[in-house]
Amino acid sequence: MGILLSETAASNSMSGVVLVVYLVFIVGFIYFLMIRPQKKEQKKMNAMLSQLAIGDSILTTSGFYGMVIDINDDQGTVIVEFGNNKNCRIPMNKTAIVQVEKPDAE
């Protein structure tokens, strides 16, 4: 009878170890497929926005192209001029910028 009990206890401890290994594997899988790429993309976006300068052409999240006229780092906003109309200047958050193109130095 003692042999059967020890085999059952060993079986339960092995299943606990297997469960822990599965949990570690799942957490690692989620980290490498979801969290790590998102952090990498966020660092890339922050680097792009930190190099933003007056005169850069930008693309907004809504699909509008414009040119940066003024940058207010305290509030995290920029003033963007859209199109050829010099009166169309709109303040917007830096987070609404998707792409930045530097002007060509000629």
Side-chain angles (χ1 to χ4, degrees):
M1 188 70 157
I3 295 173
L4 292 176
L5 290 177
S6 65
E7 287 178 8
T8 305
S11 174
N12 286 340
S13 68
M14 286 300 288
S15 66
V17 170
V18 170
L19 180 64
V20 169
V21 169
Y22 280 139
L23 287 175
V24 169
F25 177 74
I26 289 171
V27 168
F29 185 75
I30 289 172
Y31 175 78
F32 280 106
L33 285 181
M34 297 176 79
I35 298 170
R36 187 169 174 240
Q38 184 177 5
K39 285 185 179 181
K40 192 174 183 180
E41 186 67 29
Q42 186 67 35
K43 284 182 183 178
K44 185 178 171 183
M45 183 67 99
N46 288 340
M48 178 188 68
L49 292 178
S50 69
Q51 295 175 355
L52 187 66
I54 294 174
D56 289 348
S57 296
I58 63 165
L59 174 66
T60 64
T61 55
S62 58
F64 291 111
Y65 288 94
M67 183 174 292
V68 176
I69 301 300
D70 190 23
I71 300 173
N72 188 352
D73 286 328
D74 297 337
Q75 297 175 346
T77 60
V78 294
I79 296 178
V80 181
E81 180 179 86
F82 294 100
N84 294 331
N85 187 357
K86 300 296 181 191
N87 294 327
C88 186
R89 296 180 176 184
I90 300 174
M92 61 185 350
N93 284 333
K94 279 186 174 181
T95 56
I97 298 172
V98 176
Q99 183 179 358
V100 175
E101 293 181 15
K102 298 288 183 183
D104 293 333
E106 293 179 1

